[in-house]
Amino acid sequence: MYGFTPTEEQKMLIDAVARFSKSDLRTAAHAAEEHKNLAQRLVNKGWELGLLQASTPDIYGGFGERSSVTGVLAAEELGFGDLAGAIAIMTPGLFVLPILLAGNEQQKTNYIPQVIEGSWRPFTSALIEPSFDFDPNALKTTAKKVDNGFVLNGVKTYVPFANQAEAMVVYAALDGVTKGFIVSKNITGMEVSDRIKLMSLNALPMYRVTFKDVKVPETSLLEGDFEPVLAGMRVTNAALAVGVARAAFEYACGYAKERDAFGVKIAQKQAIAFMLAEMGVEIESTRLLTWEAAWKLDMAKEDAAHDAYLATTSASDMVMSVTDRAVQILGGHGYIRDHPVEMWMRNGRGFATFTGLAIV
Amino acid sequence: MYGFTPTEEQKMLIDAVARFSKSDLRTAAHAAEEHKNLAQRLVNKGWELGLLQASTPDIYGGFGERSSVTGVLAAEELGFGDLAGAIAIMTPGLFVLPILLAGNEQQKTNYIPQVIEGSWRPFTSALIEPSFDFDPNALKTTAKKVDNGFVLNGVKTYVPFANQAEAMVVYAALDGVTKGFIVSKNITGMEVSDRIKLMSLNALPMYRVTFKDVKVPETSLLEGDFEPVLAGMRVTNAALAVGVARAAFEYACGYAKERDAFGVKIAQKQAIAFMLAEMGVEIESTRLLTWEAAWKLDMAKEDAAHDAYLATTSASDMVMSVTDRAVQILGGHGYIRDHPVEMWMRNGRGFATFTGLAIV
Amino acid sequence: MTIEFENPKPVEQARFLLQTVADNMMRPVSREMDENEHAIPFGYVEFMNTAMKAMGSGSAGSLAPSEGKNSDDPTRAKRPSIAYQLLANQLEMLAWGDVGMYLITPGGGLGAAAVQAAGSPEQREKFLARFNGEKPTFAAMCMTEPQAGSDTSAIRTRAVLDENTREWVITGEKIFVTAGDKSFNDHPEFGKGFIVVWASIDPSAGRAGMRSFVIEAGTPGVKVTKLESKMGIRVSDTASISLDGARVPFENILGSPTVERTTTGFKGAMATFDATRPLVAATGVGVARAALEEVKKMLADQGVTIHYGLPRQKLSSIEKDVIEMEVMVKSAWLMVMKAVWMADNKQPNALESSMSKVKSGDIVTKVTQKAVEILGPLGYDREFLLEKWFRDAKITDIYEGTGQINRLVVARQILGYSGSELR
Amino acid sequence: MTIEFENPKPVEQARFLLQTVADNMMRPVSREMDENEHAIPFGYVEFMNTAMKAMGSGSAGSLAPSEGKNSDDPTRAKRPSIAYQLLANQLEMLAWGDVGMYLITPGGGLGAAAVQAAGSPEQREKFLARFNGEKPTFAAMCMTEPQAGSDTSAIRTRAVLDENTREWVITGEKIFVTAGDKSFNDHPEFGKGFIVVWASIDPSAGRAGMRSFVIEAGTPGVKVTKLESKMGIRVSDTASISLDGARVPFENILGSPTVERTTTGFKGAMATFDATRPLVAATGVGVARAALEEVKKMLADQGVTIHYGLPRQKLSSIEKDVIEMEVMVKSAWLMVMKAVWMADNKQPNALESSMSKVKSGDIVTKVTQKAVEILGPLGYDREFLLEKWFRDAKITDIYEGTGQINRLVVARQILGYSGSELR
């Protein structure tokens, strides 16, 4: 059957996320971006919503099974509130979910409960590399098998909370195939740069991390396939994009219904109204692609990864277009930072690159 | 200096072309397309405008020097009248101009006057090949040097008037480089198919031509570079596209100013008016690209071929978008063949492929 | 309730069946029918007349929504209906085969849908029974007029009650009547059809005075004056119909014969659009999918592989185009499915319905345009079907409300504006 | 007359000179200025103040159209002026360097342009002489209000003549005043500037009652209340200015102090837009070209070559993108050149002027967005300038009439509609 309504359980969770996102994340977003600082209190509160915990089986300290559908519903709501905040809250998932998906029993037992059971702590992962054609399936960071382990070499960037991370999953090409490696902090040969500066996400501390002959033990290798991990990252990226786009869309609708020009509200002008209609259509179409891909991931369908790729492709174009038009609808007001749309537009362009910053 | 006004001489010529195009070509276009037949009388009349003659020096029977700028101005006007008619009238140019550009003195003397001095006669050329990624600089039709000449092998398509052509320039890869060869009718090994059927240009007889071990003499080779020939074809393609787009644009403007809906003219609706504005902008921007490329060809600027490529690239997208929107503005009426816009939309999609059907 | 994306068995079976129809009865004659504009593909029409009965649909129910039927069916009482979903899938598959031929599938089309939606039980019985007969039978909807397209309030056709004979006397000009010839003119191969004509019974009342009337085939005073020559969907007859004092029995009016100063009647017609727009959208997706699949097949034949999963920086231009086409087709289909799922679940879907139509009209145009472009000289050649689909596609963004009208509807829904607030 | 596409020597020389300025005075501080939003690049400002004098322009004439000057110049009488073409080229090149810094080039900008366009010879002399002084001096235009953006008829600022003192008393709120701080507030490094304030002298007369007033820097009752934090062009100060009974000498009104019931005065302001829109468009092209060139350079550094001349089917996605970007930049520039060439040749260019603005606003947005995308993680990183240009670019489609307003203007011109026929 087809269905387009969340379950009651999902609804309750999503409602809670939506409330937090609107009242906490959104209200803090502007200052966080401007002052390049996200209140830890906020991150903790988001963590306490228990999204990751609900995706983790109880044997590892959680209280549920991972559902990508639930995950993308939540991610959209978080993205709707504030992208930087959303990513910060979700960062420990970058560590936990890949282990859950691709790790062995011992890795799960060793690592997951310590993250899941306490308050939010900086566990992260390093995927993105500083090259224009960065390809998660053709990494320049390499892992070489040596006696009793592997040696990692390469440069990662856009690594959230790298400076304080207690451990991270580092992705590297092992015989040309992308694999995750669990790397603990203060390991010899790993160097974390100063905080990097991007076009947006100023609230989120991100770093470049260099690995020079970093020796990790055999037990650090996540043996499972990277594909479902990447697919999970892609649907998450798409869902966050839908959230940001919806934020911009709703803001622009509200503005257009309030703003007078030439004796009417600007929303009453076809030029504006048609833009809003198209924005609505495009958001909805990407949302449905995202939902379907997430559902396929949950059902372990063969083409799930394919669909996840399509969803994030669609999302990247859609969110750029929607946020750009939101700024356009606000005109001069869209260009000044008192209104959030310009930040969403800056967020918007990033989704072409953000796959790897979050996973549900 | 910059300048955007044709010379007095150009104006006179263009005005004559425009009058013919509007009163003769346009009025005949619908029936010609529907009945798959273009009146020879019309082609002759177009020929008598003397566009090709004006591009041919008097020593070869003409009365002027080739000017790409004049050529694209004329081509736009012809395309504005009817694309099939325009191409038919210009077909002998496909034979003459490449010889003028790339032939030696003897070839010019042998071939050009016989075409130029009389009434319109079917001389043509064969460039396009039936493969999805047809590339004029990487032809599949080959020419092999043999004693006393060359052997041609390959298949050409979209060849206007091939069935009756007294001679044609056939393009083939000689050691991997595109070269023109003059091929006379009834040569052994050349076979002309039944008339091909395309999405539009039904008025124009076009054929597939197969070359199987066709032996041509050494004197048939046009030794000069193909690049300026191709560049000429490209600016012409662009100019014809501008003409077709302008036809659709003006028709849509006229319709939108006449058609009532919801108590006003539909042109008074922003949704329609904005489309028209954008169509106008896109037509003008491609026109200017085309003019500049043509001017650079005339001035033998180094980047002329580059600019010709950009012009035709722009034109192909522009004319598709403009003609599509013209149909959309007419709504149901745009979809029926009583109005010419649907034909222009069918023309419109063809410009991605039509380079090689005309040259000025 | 839950979020899921799987066709139930009956839908899968229907798709399988109609894929066979499309492969065997439609595609092989597509080109021939396109080249011979006013010919009728009797083979397909007769086959479908039989096949639909075999499929248990047979009447208007098969190709027009039939909520009534489902809610009357006690076995379906417990789970939500999937009638619209089934229908959308059937239409998508038929359109994948040939959207022009789909439009002349017997069963009553929009004409029967109007009776189904606005008729009384007696009228339904009287007018719809014929679609279960042996002969393929057609019905058509006559709404558009030369001066009234999207602006239905400009309809000038008048219906005046002759109190003596208790007949409606109808005069006006209708255009763009799909299957108008097959529904009204006498064809020995077909059963007797009808046309549903929109007219005003009280011009002073504006839209509140609009009604539709069932006019039986062959009624004197009614004449098919023209069959349009069209860009695409050439196998589908698009008629102009002139009504000159046509006399219609009193009881052939759909809805109330008296005018209340509300636009309920008219809103009924608009509600029909909510039901039909996702179905039209489904046909657009069918055409787009046909083009996409053909492009992939033709490219594969040329040894071109599409690599998925790469960053855009590593894609070829063709790969990027094909991936974008795939995104478009897939997302448009999901929007159709959501709109029809809502209809099946009795949720108001005016927004989703128009959204799906906007999207489908948009993407089928883009996908078919890109398909022809990608295949270069082959795409443009009538030897292949891509160029035909390019022509067929464009109507999707025009009929059942142009893309512009549907954007207006979407915007009004989003903004909470009335028609007068957002014109 | 003829069709040709070659810059005359003076233009080429100016481009060469300003390329050097861009390379040496702008680009090296672009990032720093962007990161320190309200800092002033004194180096650039002072350099330009001197340089412009060396270039023989020096005053408002350099960065605002100065038809008067050219037609007064007897040596130019015989050949058409190239003043606008020169200006468009200068601006394009400065914007290529840094469009935010261009906006704070001393010389009077839009404020001086307004005096130039609407002032009497005495006013021009009085107000414009200062731009030839030793110190960099600024002037600003105050049009927009919190509730009046594109709809200038909604301007609420009032100017009332105090008959006793023969002073205008002006009250209102202005926002989005480019260089408002540098023009009005006291900066020891700068000369004394002014602001030009749009206000109504007779609200009952609508647009016919609109006038502009020169208000000297430091005038009591006028206050810069805010400097905006913006997405891009951060080095350019965008001020909010409040006027609370500010007293202005009678003779500071530009245009007639009495209201005739025509909109001539207002049309004057609109005609200024015809002159300035292609110049704004030129700056958009400059930003777009910067992004395009940087993309090509960064790709070349990575060993990526762009192959031109291939069929689209053989291009990579990046090649297709870059070629499209090149088409966009090139054609937008040609539209600018045509519009300014028409101005130089005294041809009415309302259509071409707005067309160039539509095009430039459109393409600079697309090109910079694509540029950031193509460079992936690098494009988005503040280590490079692409992300800054993405932010700077967007204002092009907003100020001096949004893309929407300019589409309206274009459509009206094309359709021959008045403002009331096409709203």
Side-chain angles (χ1 to χ4, degrees), chain A residues 1-3 292 295 299 301, chain C residues 4-8 12 85:
Chain A
M1 294 293 285
Y2 270 75
E292 186 182 26
W295 177 82
M299 305 298 286
K301 298 275 178 192
Chain C
E4 49 189 334
F5 295 87
E6 208 156 28
N7 281 329
E12 279 305 309
Q85 293 169 67

Side-chain angles (χ1 to χ4, degrees), chain B residues 171-190:
Chain B
Y171 296 92
L174 178 65
D175 300 326
V177 177
T178 299
K179 290 287 174 188
F181 296 85
I182 300 169
V183 177
S184 297
K185 78 166 155 188
N186 298 331
I187 198 165
T188 310
M190 179 173 98

Side-chain angles (χ1 to χ4, degrees), chain C residues 5 10 36 52 75 83 128 193 213 228 252 282 308 344 387 410 414:
Chain C
F5 295 87
N36 297 284
M52 288 193 308
T75 64
L128 300 182
F213 298 85
E228 300 287 359
N252 283 23
Y308 294 87
D344 281 335
E387 67 81 27
V410 169
I414 285 171

Side-chain angles (χ1 to χ4, degrees), chain A residues 131-132 158 197-200 202 259 262 275 324 328 331-332 335-338 342 346 349-350 353, chain D residues 37 146 149 151 226 228-232 234 365 369 375-377 380-382 390-391 394 397-398 404:
Chain A
S131 82
F132 82 99
Y158 289 67
K197 297 170 179 177
L198 305 178
M199 174 149 52
S200 77
N202 286 312
R259 177 79 180 175
F262 305 104
M275 277 202 254
D324 174 76
Q328 191 66 29
Y335 200 70
I336 63 172
R337 302 211 297 279
D338 293 353
E342 67 80 30
R346 289 184 284 119
R349 180 66 298 177
T353 292
Chain D
E37 187 155 17
D151 181 7
K226 186 185 176 192
E228 300 287 359
S229 300
K230 300 189 301 300
M231 183 187 199
R234 295 188 179 181
T365 310
Q369 287 180 4
L375 268 298
Y380 202 72
D381 196 313
R382 298 219 298 273
F390 168 103
R391 292 184 285 109
K394 185 65 197 166
D397 208 22
I398 295 175
Q404 285 63 46

Side-chain angles (χ1 to χ4, degrees), chain B residues 140-152:
Chain B
K140 287 170 185 160
T141 300
T142 56
K144 223 186 131 190
K145 182 82 190 76
V146 292
D147 281 352
N148 300 323
F150 304 90
V151 174
L152 306 180

Side-chain angles (χ1 to χ4, degrees), chain C residues 18 21-22 24-27 29 33 40-52 63 90 93-95 97-106 136 138 190 235:
Chain C
L18 291 175
V21 173
N24 295 292
M25 306 294 297
M26 303 177 94
R27 290 284 180 95
V29 295
M33 289 296 132
I40 299 173
F42 288 107
Y44 168 75
V45 169
E46 277 155 21
F47 174 85
M48 283 304 283
N49 194 48
T50 314
M52 288 193 308
L63 296 184
Q90 290 169 333
M93 190 56 90
L94 288 175
D98 188 306
V99 68
M101 288 172 74
Y102 145 68
L103 284 167
I104 55 162
T105 304
F138 297 87
F190 302 149
V235 70

Side-chain angles (χ1 to χ4, degrees), chain D residues 13-277:
Chain D
Q13 285 164 347
R15 289 189 70 87
F16 179 79
L17 199 70
L18 290 176
Q19 164 96 53
T20 313
V21 173
D23 282 336
N24 296 292
M25 305 297 294
M26 302 176 95
R27 289 285 181 92
V29 295
S30 260
R31 174 56 67 192
E32 183 193 341
M33 288 298 131
D34 182 66
E35 301 276 334
N36 297 283
E37 187 155 17
H38 294 130
I40 297 173
F42 288 108
Y44 169 75
V45 169
E46 277 154 21
F47 174 84
M48 282 304 283
N49 193 48
T50 314
M52 288 192 307
K53 265 173 250 161
M55 284 162 64
S57 36
S59 82
S62 69
L63 296 185
S66 58
E67 295 189 42
K69 228 177 65 180
N70 282 303
S71 48
D72 293 350
D73 182 346
T75 64
R76 298 243 176 120
K78 270 168 203 152
R79 46 198 176 108
S81 161
I82 57 161
Y84 271 106
Q85 292 170 67
L86 182 63
L87 195 50
N89 274 279
Q90 290 169 331
L91 267 49
E92 194 269 354
M93 190 56 92
L94 289 174
W96 178 89
D98 187 306
V99 67
M101 288 172 75
Y102 145 68
L103 284 167
I104 54 161
T105 304
L110 290 177
V115 173
Q116 187 78 42
S120 65
E122 299 71 39
Q123 286 174 323
R124 284 189 220 166
E125 193 170 328
K126 177 172 176 194
F127 295 120
L128 300 183
R130 68 190 73 191
F131 300 109
N132 290 309
E134 280 311 301
K135 284 186 176 181
T137 304
F138 297 85
M141 171 80 117
C142 310
M143 170 108 56
T144 306
E145 299 185 358
Q147 296 308 321
S150 298
D151 181 7
T152 44
S153 69
I155 285 175
R156 292 182 195 165
T157 299
R158 281 282 280 127
V160 179
L161 186 62
D162 181 333
E163 294 286 357
N164 297 326
T165 63
R166 297 296 287 168
E167 286 173 326
W168 296 99
V169 183
I170 306 182
T171 297
E173 296 288 335
K174 293 291 178 181
I175 59 171
F176 301 159
V177 181
T178 298
D181 168 60
K182 294 183 186 62
S183 302
F184 190 82
N185 283 340
D186 189 34
H187 292 273
E189 300 85 350
F190 302 147
K192 187 180 180 184
F194 60 80
I195 58 177
V196 174
V197 173
W198 280 84
S200 174
I201 57 173
D202 181 357
S204 72
R207 284 176 170 166
M210 294 289 178
R211 291 292 181 281
S212 52
F213 299 84
V214 177
I215 303 185
E216 291 284 356
T219 298
V222 183
K223 217 175 122 185
V224 173
T225 52
K226 186 185 176 192
L227 294 183
E228 300 287 359
S229 300
K230 300 189 301 300
M231 183 187 199
I233 53 166
R234 295 188 179 181
V235 70
S236 162
D237 54 310
T238 302
S240 298
I241 292 183
S242 128
L243 302 105
D244 185 8
R247 295 192 157 261
V248 176
F250 179 79
E251 61 274 17
N252 283 23
I253 188 171
L254 299 175
S256 163
T258 57
V259 175
E260 293 138 45
R261 297 276 152 171
T262 67
T263 54
T264 328
F266 191 75
K267 278 186 180 149
M270 291 299 117
T272 312
F273 282 131
D274 293 344
T276 54
R277 279 176 179 160

